[in-house]
Amino acid sequence: MLYSAPMHTLKLSSLALVACALSLACQGEMLPPGPGVEPDPHQSPAPGSSRLLPPGLAGEYCNQAIPSPLHRLSSWEMQNTLAAAFPGLELPSARLVSDARPYGYDNDLLSLGIDDAFARSLNTLSIDIGKLAAEQVEQLIDCSARDAACVKRLIAQVAEPLLRREAADLALEEIEALAAGQPFETAVRLSIESLLKAPEFIFRAGTAAGEPQGYAAASRLSYFLWGTPPDKQLLADAKAGRLASASDLRRAAERLLADPRAERQLKHFFALWANLRPDGTNPTADGLAAIEETESFALHVFKSGGSLKDLLLSSDVVEAKPSVAALYQRDPQPMLRTGMLSRAAFLQRTSKVDGVSPVARGVWLLEHVLCRELGTPPEGADATPLPELGANATRREQIVAQTESSAECSGCHRVINPIGFAFDNFGPQGEYREVDQRSGRPIDASGKLPSGESFQDYRELLSIIASSSETSRCLTEQLMRFAFGGGPEVNDRCLVDEIHQGFVKSELKLRELVLEIVSHPRFFKGAN
Amino acid sequence: MKFDRRRFLATLGAAAGGAAASRLVGDGWLPEFVAPRVARAAGASPFRGFVLCYGMQHLCAHQMRFVPKGEDREKFNLDRYNFRETGKLPETGGGYVVDLKDSGLDWPEPIRAIVDAPFNVPAEYITIIDGLANSAMHIERDKFGTSATSHAWSQASVLTGGPALNSLGTPSYPDVAWRIHEHLARQQGNSYQLLGFDTGYNRGTHQAENFFGQPSAAFDPNDGSQTLSNRLELGLQRPSRIWDDVFRDRSYPDGSAPKVDPLKQARPQTVRAVIERYKRLLGRVKIQYDQDRLAQQIARLEQLYQDTQLPAPISQQCSKPTQPPAPTEGTYVQELMAVGKMIAMAFACDISRVAGVHFRMPNAGVLENLKDYVFRFADGTSETVRGDVHNIHAHASSASRREDHTDAEWNEAHRVMRLYNRSHCEYVAAIASELHRTSDPLSGKSLLDNTLIVLTAELSDGAHEVNDRMMVLVGKMPGLNTGKYYRFPAVNPMRVDNIIRNYLHYAPYQDIAQFYITLMQAYGMTIDRIGPTEYKGDGKLANRSGTLKELIA
């Protein structure tokens, strides 16, 4: 497993989870040096690479505008961009290859390249969309005649969202030259094909000298909050210099957050953060209903001005499909579903074919909510059958016997297990239960964290976690990773600090976290 | 905090100028358009024709078998025969191989039609691979019913590309052909067409399907698109129909085509336009790494654009037909030769250097009768068929065993199968003859020297068998020892009625999968195993690896 040190590794929170005292076997590899520690010379930039770095990049650079490498649109962003450019056309779906999610998010700029498969799929898509646009051109533009003027107008119209500039700022001579002298249909097709292979469509890049500098910030903002290219208003703001300050960005972001497009994107973020829709999986109808319910809940918390604590503790009810509603109606008492993590999607996602997996639940929470990395378990750990301890032993006792009896495993599992056992009152489908199926004895969901704090069940555990600054800092990092298309990096400690402080000051309001990020100079200066 | 930008940039810096550049470029743009031009400009011929022919369910291997002169083909028992010491297959340790130019063997009637007048294809172009088993092409029971009969039927379909394929995802002969087609098209810059998709099998149900669940398709070397849709069914069609199928609406980069598609003509110009966009982008990136890789991207696109400007790979010597053959009927031989001539012309003109052809007889479906159908033959004779004998001959269920039929029924079934075989072989002979007669403008040899026609079927000694199958190859290709008769010792105890119990359990017979692998490797593909790798019926993997080493030159 790839990992470098979370920069706050040594900064123990109230949970003191790093007291895990990871054994080497459980750790996977040694942690790299923390902040302030001289880096391992073997990990230093290779000789000659300094030319890649702008001056002054050594050390921390919170407020500097850091140029990023070219950032390819993710497939999600690309599909959304095409939909914005060709409204009214039923575009071919699922044609682009799906993107890797090395850090959980599908917009990671480091992994978004163009390999052969992607190039092929884009090539095919460009031909198909060009053909579709030519066949249904009246769906796109109102032309009195199918002539060169119509083609020119069409090019300008679709280029604006595709290339994320106002048409007047787009030099499209090459594209227009392609169309010149061609029959109408051929002209449309060639133009569209070229636009869809244009690098300004495929990549997000900074602005050129003499160009309105706000265009880059507009793209970063709209892809962050909508997953789409900027709309006309945002482009106009960019051109007029109204995306140049923190207050400008905050104002623009508030407008975008009020738009329905933000709802879809926020759900997209929450699904990625919680890994609710792993790539390559095809959930059942009931599974999909559970995922949608959790996404809706998270969105509800966000839209209602909720906080991180609400995300983890609120028992608000949102609309759910019958299968999920029926599941919750069988709860023995109301208000049992507190926050995202006692809802069906998380509980199902962390269950296996043969039942719940407290270990999976513990690991998930440590990784996604606390940004902990646990290393790779020893080979074959998953395949080892649980020890038989007699018919009276609970499954929890079996797991403890297996995972905490050896030094090799106990370092991690003494942290993982109590957190996972806290959710033992929920079965593999998320159904509430009070009896251990194996032994018939009451479920024991209590536990104690390495920091010494005790809890009786998942609700008390979530209360502890929700109050931890480690949790709010983790969400800060997660949302920053999504906003920036990667990171934060080791050198970004002060950047995270600043945004996290604003988040805390807002009493952990989710909306404020978004606004803190977009109004930070690092977000809108030198953006791509 | 999962990564460090400095380390990342350092890593990219180390890779800059190499692999990193490909992250921007990809290789998926216009390769099929460009590769033939580049190869042509370099004076090389990347083209290898490949024709797939198969006569589903109608080719009886035992009727096609070479036996020592004087032996009764119907009763010949290989187990007791040891042809000659020197002919033993060295790798296999059994069976034998014979050079067909001087074999001392008795040519079976259908194959003899290829080398005899009027087609006169030299024996060195004929290759017989006999005695192959089929163990990798297994069927998962729950996907295709549970009865032995359905398993037998689906085995047959999988081998020959019947309607079962789509639901199985298991390689079959057409699947292999598809892979070869695509490989040649994409990797070697060839064009390809898949022609003649009608399976002719249970046509009432499956007529609309082809093997791949998609319309007949072709690559167009003009732009690499897959927009063409032609079918060529070499049934008893008129030559004019075949002209339509092969040549109609095709476009030629040299401008002499009956119809030129302006989009395809102009598409390479999109490369030019995109290059200019990349140059604009260059002014917007601020990191040296990006500047470097964009510069490399532009250089590659410039090269791509220059390649698009190379002359089209159409041979100047190519004599394309300008009009369809006269619709008047000539002799049967003339009709056959017209078919072969058109395929040869298509190959010579680089329209379809790779093609799949399926022989199809009208009314040849399993459930339909060939009532009063008249087979015509090159020697001017004809024979009438009273009805379809498929079930008598091909199904070894209780109603179809030899002992359940009279001698008259059995003999009639064999007679009809012989007619099928002879008819199919005469088609192959006509195509091969014309390919041999036509000079390949790209290689200087005959087209048949760069073409491999594969004729196969799934009837062995009568039933839908999984053992003792035969492949008939006509033509040559680099990498294969052709011009020989290979008899592998496939003494396979498996019968249709115990397929379920046994079909995973017999090895090490020479397997059809190994023939496929050999073929695909000879065409330059990287593959060493065919068959499902996950299903382990009774704990044994059902896939097969390895090659037929004696076939490899």
Side-chain angles (χ1 to χ4, degrees):
Chain A
M1 177 181 285
L2 280 175
Y3 67 147
S4 57
M7 67 183 194
H8 53 290
T9 295
L10 305 176
K11 180 184 160 190
L12 302 189
S13 71
S14 61
L15 290 175
L17 288 173
V18 281
C20 175
L22 300 174
S23 69
L24 282 178
C26 211
Q27 185 179 350
E29 61 181 274
M30 294 295 289
L31 293 174
V37 180
E38 280 302 309
D40 180 339
H42 298 294
Q43 296 178 353
S44 298
S49 64
S50 58
R51 66 191 174 86
L52 302 170
L53 298 171
L57 272 193
E60 296 182 356
Y61 34 91
C62 299
N63 292 308
Q64 293 181 35
I66 304 299
S68 285
L70 282 170
H71 192 173
R72 200 204 84 196
L73 293 188
S74 68
S75 291
W76 163 265
E77 292 166 337
M78 208 167 262
Q79 298 280 12
N80 293 342
T81 305
L82 293 171
F86 301 99
L89 293 191
E90 194 168 332
L91 299 175
S93 61
R95 297 294 297 272
L96 290 169
V97 295
S98 58
D99 297 313
R101 302 178 190 174
Y103 303 107
Y105 299 96
D106 60 357
N107 64 345
D108 179 76
L109 72 88
L110 304 193
S111 61
L112 288 173
I114 298 186
D115 60 11
D116 194 52
F118 184 87
R120 276 188 188 285
S121 67
L122 183 60
N123 186 45
T124 304
L125 193 66
S126 69
I127 291 173
D128 289 351
I129 292 180
K131 185 167 184 283
L132 200 62
E135 289 170 352
Q136 302 179 32
V137 70
E138 65 281 358
Q139 301 287 332
L140 296 171
I141 193 167
D142 185 15
C143 285
S144 55
R146 292 186 159 213
D147 54 14
C150 180
V151 175
K152 191 171 180 180
R153 281 178 52 216
L154 179 67
I155 291 172
Q157 177 180 308
V158 300
E160 196 167 278
L162 287 178
L163 309 187
R164 283 94 67 180
R165 300 283 190 278
E166 282 197 347
D169 292 326
L170 287 168
L172 296 167
E173 302 90 64
E174 307 88 4
I175 311 292
E176 291 165 357
L178 273 178
Q182 297 287 358
F184 181 80
E185 182 178 333
T186 303
V188 170
R189 293 185 64 174
L190 289 172
S191 308
I192 302 293
E193 287 180 21
S194 302
L195 282 170
L196 296 186
K197 287 175 184 147
E200 307 106 304
F201 164 63
I202 299 170
F203 299 101
R204 285 157 58 182
T207 48
E211 198 178 25
Q213 296 300 297
Y215 279 144
S219 280
R220 179 172 268 185
L221 186 66
S222 64
Y223 281 113
F224 173 36
L225 297 184
W226 283 353
T228 72
D231 63 355
K232 282 187 175 296
Q233 176 65 54
L234 203 52
L235 289 178
D237 288 346
K239 187 168 184 178
R242 293 193 293 267
L243 293 179
S245 68
S247 58
D248 286 344
L249 267 291
R250 180 172 275 267
R251 191 181 317 113
E254 284 174 339
R255 181 179 73 82
L256 266 59
L257 287 173
D259 189 282
R261 279 170 279 195
E263 296 184 5
R264 199 172 67 122
Q265 180 72 349
L266 285 166
K267 285 184 174 180
H268 184 61
F269 164 73
F270 284 120
L272 290 170
W273 171 51
N275 196 21
L276 294 179
R277 299 170 184 261
D279 193 26
T281 59
N282 189 18
T284 62
D286 288 353
L288 193 59
I291 292 169
E292 289 170 352
E293 190 261 347
T294 294
E295 290 171 351
S296 296
F297 169 77
L299 180 64
H300 159 76
V301 172
F302 187 95
K303 287 181 66 181
S304 60
S307 67
L308 172 59
K309 290 183 178 178
D310 295 320
L311 197 62
L312 294 173
L313 299 172
S314 166
S315 53
D316 283 0
V317 176
V318 295
E319 192 174 352
K321 292 201 169 141
S323 59
V324 179
L327 183 73
Y328 296 167
Q329 281 164 9
R330 290 199 292 273
D331 289 348
Q333 50 185 287
M335 313 287 279
L336 278 177
R337 308 287 169 170
T338 54
M340 280 180 73
L341 304 186
S342 56
R343 290 170 191 271
F346 164 73
L347 299 165
Q348 291 174 5
R349 177 85 186 79
T350 51
S351 294
K352 297 183 177 176
V353 178
D354 58 345
V356 301
S357 172
V359 173
R361 288 174 175 177
V363 167
W364 186 96
L365 196 140
L366 284 163
E367 289 184 343
H368 293 258
V369 179
L370 296 166
C371 293
R372 287 284 152 199
E373 295 193 34
L374 299 169
T376 306
E379 193 172 344
D382 279 352
T384 310
L386 292 173
E388 286 293 338
L389 300 178
N392 196 39
T394 63
R395 186 175 169 82
R396 173 174 179 156
E397 288 165 343
Q398 285 182 296
I399 293 172
V400 168
Q402 184 183 56
T403 60
E404 297 186 31
S405 58
S406 73
E408 185 184 28
C409 301
S410 62
C412 290
H413 279 280
R414 276 187 292 136
V415 179
I416 296 169
N417 292 356
I419 294 174
F421 292 141
F423 295 89
D424 263 0
N425 282 114
F426 295 104
Q429 295 305 312
E431 73 279 15
Y432 190 83
R433 60 188 189 177
E434 294 181 336
V435 174
D436 175 65
Q437 280 186 316
R438 184 174 190 275
S439 63
R441 290 161 54 194
I443 283 176
D444 175 12
S446 66
K448 188 175 181 181
L449 295 171
S451 58
E453 291 165 292
S454 299
F455 54 88
Q456 286 304 306
D457 60 11
Y458 67 96
R459 283 173 291 197
E460 290 189 14
L461 172 68
L462 290 173
S463 287
I464 297 170
I465 289 174
S467 303
S468 163
S469 67
E470 191 168 357
T471 308
S472 57
R473 191 177 179 85
C474 178
L475 183 63
T476 303
E477 288 184 20
Q478 298 276 5
L479 195 58
M480 285 175 65
R481 186 166 297 148
F482 184 64
F484 287 90
E489 305 158 24
V490 174
N491 297 35
D492 291 332
R493 173 180 172 158
C494 55
L495 174 65
V496 179
D497 283 345
E498 288 179 11
I499 293 175
H500 183 231
Q501 283 167 14
F503 185 33
V504 171
K505 198 179 295 180
S506 76
E507 298 182 338
L508 304 181
K509 301 288 188 198
L510 300 179
R511 182 187 176 85
E512 284 303 315
L513 176 56
V514 170
L515 296 175
E516 284 292 330
I517 290 173
V518 301
S519 58
H520 195 285
R522 272 284 292 278
F523 183 84
F524 62 89
K525 285 187 180 174
N528 61 7
Chain B
M1 305 283 184
K2 302 221 176 189
F3 61 85
D4 181 334
R5 187 189 301 265
R6 287 181 302 182
R7 289 176 64 186
F8 164 64
L9 291 175
T11 305
L12 292 182
S22 68
R23 288 167 63 90
L24 273 177
V25 178
D27 291 318
W29 193 7
L30 297 177
E32 291 82 14
F33 180 91
V34 168
R37 289 168 163 76
V38 173
R40 185 92 176 114
S45 169
F47 304 115
R48 290 177 190 164
F50 177 78
V51 179
L52 161 70
C53 300
Y54 64 100
M56 182 183 291
Q57 65 182 300
H58 299 140
L59 179 68
C60 286
H62 77 288
Q63 293 182 349
M64 307 284 274
R65 189 149 292 148
F66 285 70
V67 298
K69 283 179 179 169
E71 289 280 1
D72 183 339
R73 181 169 289 104
E74 299 282 335
K75 297 176 181 174
F76 178 69
N77 187 336
L78 177 73
D79 291 345
R80 294 202 299 268
Y81 186 77
N82 187 1
F83 182 69
R84 51 171 88 146
E85 262 324 291
T86 55
K88 276 189 178 177
L89 292 167
E91 298 284 346
T92 308
Y96 54 90
V97 57
V98 183
D99 192 330
L100 283 176
K101 283 178 73 174
D102 181 24
S103 67
L105 297 178
D106 188 19
W107 284 66
E109 177 196 55
I111 299 176
R112 190 191 303 136
I114 303 173
V115 295
D116 282 355
F119 304 111
N120 299 318
V121 176
E124 65 188 87
Y125 289 93
I126 311 295
T127 306
I128 313 293
I129 303 158
D130 190 9
L132 298 176
N134 175 24
S135 63
M137 308 298 162
H138 91 284
I139 310 297
E140 285 187 45
R141 186 181 305 191
D142 58 352
K143 284 185 177 174
F144 215 81
T146 55
S147 73
T149 302
S150 71
H151 266 261
W153 181 74
S154 54
Q155 281 279 359
S157 297
V158 167
L159 173 63
T160 55
L165 178 71
N166 284 340
S167 64
L168 299 170
T170 304
S172 66
Y173 192 77
D175 187 34
V176 171
W178 167 273
R179 292 191 202 184
I180 292 173
H181 288 173
E182 186 159 33
H183 169 77
L184 292 177
R186 290 190 184 281
Q187 302 303 320
Q188 301 194 24
N190 211 330
S191 59
Y192 80 73
Q193 290 186 91
L194 289 170
L195 303 171
F197 275 164
D198 195 321
T199 66
Y201 197 98
N202 268 6
R203 287 163 54 210
T205 307
H206 300 289
Q207 189 168 21
E209 292 184 0
N210 61 47
F211 315 125
F212 312 105
Q214 58 190 43
S216 303
F219 270 124
D220 185 338
N222 281 318
D223 63 356
S225 69
Q226 255 183 297
T227 55
L228 297 175
S229 178
N230 281 350
R231 4 181 340 123
L232 176 58
E233 293 176 2
L234 294 186
L236 300 178
Q237 297 182 38
R238 292 276 187 267
S240 58
R241 164 78 186 279
I242 297 176
W243 188 92
D244 275 355
D245 282 341
V246 176
F247 293 104
R248 184 184 53 199
D249 292 340
R250 299 305 302 264
S251 56
Y252 302 90
D254 65 1
S256 64
K259 180 183 174 186
V260 173
D261 184 339
L263 177 73
K264 290 170 183 169
Q265 290 285 312
R267 188 168 271 145
Q269 292 306 317
T270 60
V271 180
R272 186 77 262 158
V274 171
I275 289 171
E276 298 307 315
R277 305 307 302 185
Y278 269 97
K279 287 179 178 173
R280 289 176 189 276
L281 185 68
L282 195 54
R284 284 165 52 183
V285 299
K286 299 176 179 64
I287 294 180
Q288 183 68 44
Y289 163 71
D290 279 335
Q291 292 167 5
D292 288 349
R293 61 178 183 159
L294 278 178
Q296 288 183 33
Q297 162 80 335
I298 290 168
R300 278 185 74 165
L301 287 174
E302 290 281 11
Q303 183 62 52
L304 176 67
Y305 180 73
Q306 287 175 23
D307 290 343
T308 68
Q309 302 304 301
L310 292 169
I314 303 293
S315 165
Q316 297 303 311
Q317 302 96 316
C318 173
S319 56
K320 291 192 295 286
T322 54
Q323 58 184 16
T328 54
E329 285 190 49
T331 66
Y332 182 65
V333 172
Q334 287 173 321
E335 285 186 37
L336 288 179
M337 297 298 274
V339 173
K341 186 179 286 294
M342 276 184 286
I343 289 180
M345 284 191 292
F347 271 43
C349 293
D350 187 35
I351 295 171
S352 57
R353 296 298 297 271
V354 185
V357 180
H358 172 224
F359 292 127
R360 173 186 165 210
M361 294 296 178
N363 302 318
V366 174
L367 304 178
E368 298 178 54
N369 289 328
L370 282 173
K371 186 169 176 56
D372 299 328
Y373 182 77
V374 179
F375 281 100
R376 293 192 294 161
F377 295 104
D379 63 3
T381 62
S382 62
E383 288 199 54
T384 302
V385 178
R386 287 176 307 196
D388 191 1
V389 295
H390 174 88
N391 283 312
I392 293 174
H393 192 79
H395 288 177
S397 62
S398 59
S400 302
R401 286 197 297 256
R402 168 67 183 90
E403 53 268 35
D404 294 330
H405 300 285
T406 65
D407 285 349
E409 286 175 328
W410 193 251
N411 290 336
E412 171 62 6
H414 276 209
R415 184 183 77 90
V416 174
M417 288 299 153
R418 270 195 290 274
L419 298 181
Y420 273 122
N421 289 340
R422 185 177 165 194
S423 177
H424 287 162
C425 282
E426 288 188 352
Y427 264 111
V428 170
I431 296 169
S433 176
E434 280 299 336
L435 290 173
H436 185 244
R437 211 187 307 245
T438 307
S439 173
D440 183 347
L442 296 179
S443 71
K445 298 180 180 176
S446 86
L447 286 175
L448 194 58
D449 284 275
N450 256 339
T451 302
L452 198 66
I453 301 172
V454 183
L455 181 59
T456 183
E458 43 76 34
L459 294 186
S460 177
D461 63 352
H464 290 301
E465 281 286 357
V466 294
N467 61 301
D468 217 4
R469 306 278 182 91
M470 174 185 276
M471 298 282 181
V472 180
L473 313 182
V474 184
K476 290 184 178 180
M477 69 168 294
L480 279 190
N481 271 323
T482 51
K484 300 178 188 304
Y485 173 50
Y486 298 89
R487 187 25 164 139
F488 291 107
V491 186
N492 190 335
M494 188 164 60
R495 301 284 309 180
V496 167
D497 54 4
N498 61 13
I499 280 175
I500 291 177
R501 193 169 60 251
N502 285 332
Y503 76 83
L504 292 173
H505 291 257
Y506 71 106
Y509 298 104
Q510 281 64 47
D511 198 282
I512 282 175
Q514 293 171 321
F515 168 71
Y516 294 159
I517 293 167
T518 305
L519 197 61
M520 294 164 87
Q521 287 187 358
Y523 275 108
M525 301 174 68
T526 304
I527 184 170
D528 63 359
R529 183 168 289 272
I530 284 183
T533 54
E534 295 176 355
Y535 181 71
K536 295 181 180 178
D538 297 335
K540 295 191 178 183
L541 282 174
N543 62 10
R544 291 300 300 267
S545 60
T547 55
L548 300 178
K549 294 184 175 57
E550 290 88 354
L551 259 66
I552 301 172

